[in-house]
């Protein structure tokens, strides 16, 4: 008569020590079927609450549940699996199920007659319906258990891989959902990845994503594609089975904006699939980039990581940088450089680096102060962010060669960033010194002033000093030291001083070696 699904009732049951009574009822005589069924029915509803999950686990419920999985009564099997599905979300409970030998039993409960799987519920016999209900809760329990890598290994050893294909073809969509939940969780294990290729489960995944109207199932299918598609063979299979078009079609629907998890799954799948050039060409035909650009304002960083990652992969094809710019994507991408999410910063630096090879994109990036922001990423604690920022600067420097506006602001950005961490050394390692020296010969007065300031900062590193000393830049620096511009004069003098110190130190070493 009470609403056991309400949090109030669940906590009331706990406070009244009812949980201990319910757990103890599971240990009653094998003939006391009704008591066990009633206790399990209540536990299956109240164990959705995390506090109760901890409580019943500490009361020793797991061994009792595993024992009930092999009870002749299917009602008890089903309810025991349902409780396991709830409590196994806890790491401790999940481990106990494995240690008590529950995983092979649950896998075995999924090995049901194929004829039952091919029938809708209305067509099944009473016995078939009972077997299907047990399988549903067993699948849900394995989905919860598959969050652990050790459990995945036990599932594989118990033979779950051989059952996946027939389960994904079941008429009961609920069973398909539970199975797909397991599958996408297991995507990081090599043996599961190999099975997806050899059994060609990709065909089932694409078929279900394309044909089902169940958004939960679509999300799980997209997540499976996302998690498996770092493998080139999987990407080829998704392409072969026509998986790209339905993904992009759903991505382009406005309804997807209402479901963050679905959008994250679909955009993630597009990102990983874009690792292959043939898929990028297909995405181009489907007009995918403008839609990705429109999602750059979406208020979810996981989605943004995926969207920007997809744009970065697409822009590895030269023509797509212009497509991003025409879709007005440069400004929102630059604005993302102000955020702190490291995965997002790494992907944003990546895509802007690809776009920077296009001169028009480069000019727009500079209008929005992109170069300074990218330089600032070189002091980020993430090595991936630093690496992507460094590579993004290469086209920035090269494209600035014939553009005085870019030259001036790039030199200024280098000067401002030299004091951060190891940036001074990194600029030299990336080859920034030589292009900057060329600015002195080609640029106007503004370019020359900021370039001398940048060279002054760079000269703090001995290796950069060597490059400056061996170049023809010293006469220009001497001339600048006599300038009426005090700032320019000071910067030139500092640069000359550092070069002279290095030269004197080198002479001392030579003199010492000659005496020896």
């Amino acid at each position: 008569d009470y609403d056991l699904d309400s949090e109030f009732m669940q906590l009331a049951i706990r406070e009244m020590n009812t949980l201990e009574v319910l757990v103890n009822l599971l240990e009653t005589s094998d003939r006391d079927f009704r008591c066990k069924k009633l206790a399990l029915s209540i536990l299956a509803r109240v164990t959705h609450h995390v506090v109760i999950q901890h409580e019943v686990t500490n009361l020793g419920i797991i061994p009792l549940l595993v024992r009930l999985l092999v009870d002749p009564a299917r009602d008890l099997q089903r309810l025991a699996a349902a409780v396991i599905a709830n409590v196994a979300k806890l790491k401790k409970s999940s481990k106990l199920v494995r240690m008590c030998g529950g995983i092979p039993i649950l896998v075995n409960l999924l090995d049901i007659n194929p004829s039952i799987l091919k029938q809708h519920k209305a067509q099944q016999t009473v016995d078939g319906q009972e077997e299907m209900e047990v399988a549903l809760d067993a699948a849900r329990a394995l989905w919860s258990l598959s969050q652990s890598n050790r459990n995945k290994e036990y599932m594989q050893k118990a033979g779950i891989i051989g059952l996946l294909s027939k389960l994904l073809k079941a008429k009961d969509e609920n069973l398909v959902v539970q199975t797909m939940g397991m599958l996408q969780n297991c995507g990081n294990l090599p043996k599961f990845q190999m099975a997806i290729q050899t059994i060609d489960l990709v065909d089932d995944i694409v078929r279900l994503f394309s044909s089902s109207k169940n958004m939960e199932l679509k999300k799980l299918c997209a997540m499976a594609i996302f998690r498996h598609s770092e493998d080139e063979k999987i990407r080829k299979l998704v392409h072969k089975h026509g998986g790209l078009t339905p993904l992009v079609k759903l991505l382009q629907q406005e309804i997807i904006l209402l479901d963050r998890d679905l959008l994250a799954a679909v955009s993630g799948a597009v990102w990983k699939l874009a690792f292959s050039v043939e898929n990028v060409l297909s995405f181009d035909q489907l007009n995918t980039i403008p839609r990705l650009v429109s999602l750059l304002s979406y208020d979810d960083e996981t989605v943004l990581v995926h969207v920007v990652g997809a744009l970065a992969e697409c822009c590895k094809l030269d023509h797509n940088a212009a497509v991003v710019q025409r879709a007005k994507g440069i400004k929102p991408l630059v604005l993302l450089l102000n955020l702190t999410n490291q995965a997002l910063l790494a992907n944003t630096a990546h895509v802007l680096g690809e776009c920077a090879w296009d001169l028009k994109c480069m000019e727009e990036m500079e209008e929005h102060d992109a170069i300074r922001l990218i330089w600032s990423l070189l002091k980020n604690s993430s090595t991936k962010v630093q690496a992507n920022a460094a590579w993004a600067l290469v086209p920035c420097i090269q494209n600035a060669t014939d553009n005085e506006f870019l030259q001036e602001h790039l030199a200024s950005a280098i000067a401002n960033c030299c004091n951060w961490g190891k940036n001074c050394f990194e600029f030299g390692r990336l080859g920034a010194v030589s292009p900057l020296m060329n600015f002195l010969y080609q640029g106007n007065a503004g370019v020359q002033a900021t370039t001398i300031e940048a060279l002054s900062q760079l000269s703090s590193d001995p290796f950069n000093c060597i490059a400056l000393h061996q170049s023809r830049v010293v006469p220009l620096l001497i001339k600048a030291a006599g300038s009426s511009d005090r700032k320019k004069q000071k910067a030139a003098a500092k640069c000359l001083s550092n070069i002279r110190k290095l030269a004197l130190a080198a002479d001392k070493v030579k003199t010492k070696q000659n005496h020896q």
Side-chain angles (χ1 to χ4, degrees), residues 4-58:
L4 298 178
D5 295 322
S6 74
E7 184 176 8
F8 174 79
M9 279 304 303
Q10 291 171 359
L11 294 177
I13 287 171
R14 175 177 177 268
E15 293 300 322
M16 294 167 63
N17 296 322
T18 309
L19 293 175
E20 188 171 357
V21 175
L22 293 171
V23 172
N24 287 338
L25 284 173
L26 301 182
E27 293 187 279
T28 58
S29 168
D30 290 341
R31 291 174 294 176
D32 206 345
F33 168 77
R34 286 185 298 176
C35 284
K36 290 181 179 179
K37 183 178 179 181
L38 179 60
L40 284 170
S41 297
I42 296 171
L43 287 165
R45 294 177 66 180
V46 301
T47 49
H48 288 288
H49 198 289
V50 66
V51 174
I52 294 179
Q53 291 169 11
H54 281 283
E55 187 86 14
V56 296
T57 299
N58 292 336

Side-chain angles (χ1 to χ4, degrees), residues 300-316:
D300 184 271
E301 290 190 353
T302 299
V303 171
L304 289 173
V305 169
H306 297 172
V307 167
V308 176
L311 286 170
E313 296 302 323
C314 289
C315 285
K316 286 181 178 178

Side-chain angles (χ1 to χ4, degrees), residues 32-33 95 101 112 132-133 139 154 162 185 187 201 214 250 391 415 488:
D32 206 345
F33 168 77
K95 181 180 180 179
I112 60 178
M132 179 64 80
E133 287 172 357
Y154 273 65
N185 269 354
L201 294 178
N214 184 322
L250 182 56
W391 281 112
K488 184 176 177 181

Side-chain angles (χ1 to χ4, degrees), residues 15 107 132 167 182 235 263 291 293 359 363 383 413 424 438 456 471-472 481 509:
E15 293 300 322
V107 171
M132 179 64 80
L167 293 172
M182 272 189 280
R235 296 197 296 272
L263 180 55
R291 178 54 171 171
V293 168
L359 188 56
E363 289 175 349
T383 54
C424 191
N438 290 332
S456 171
S471 71
R472 297 172 297 161
V509 171

Side-chain angles (χ1 to χ4, degrees), residues 378-441:
L378 292 173
K379 65 175 181 176
N380 193 281
S381 60
S382 165
T383 54
K384 186 172 183 181
V385 173
Q386 293 173 16
N388 285 3
W391 281 112
L393 291 171
V394 174
C396 293
I397 293 170
Q398 292 194 17
N399 270 345
T401 303
D402 300 317
N403 186 309
E404 290 184 340
F405 177 79
L406 294 181
Q407 287 175 348
E408 181 175 351
H409 288 79
L410 178 58
S412 178
I414 293 173
N416 291 330
C417 295
C418 271
N419 293 323
W420 298 336
K422 297 180 180 179
N423 284 355
C424 191
F425 167 77
E426 287 297 317
F427 291 149
R429 186 181 65 82
L430 290 167
V433 177
S434 294
L436 279 171
M437 289 189 291
N438 290 332
F439 290 0
L440 288 178
Y441 296 99

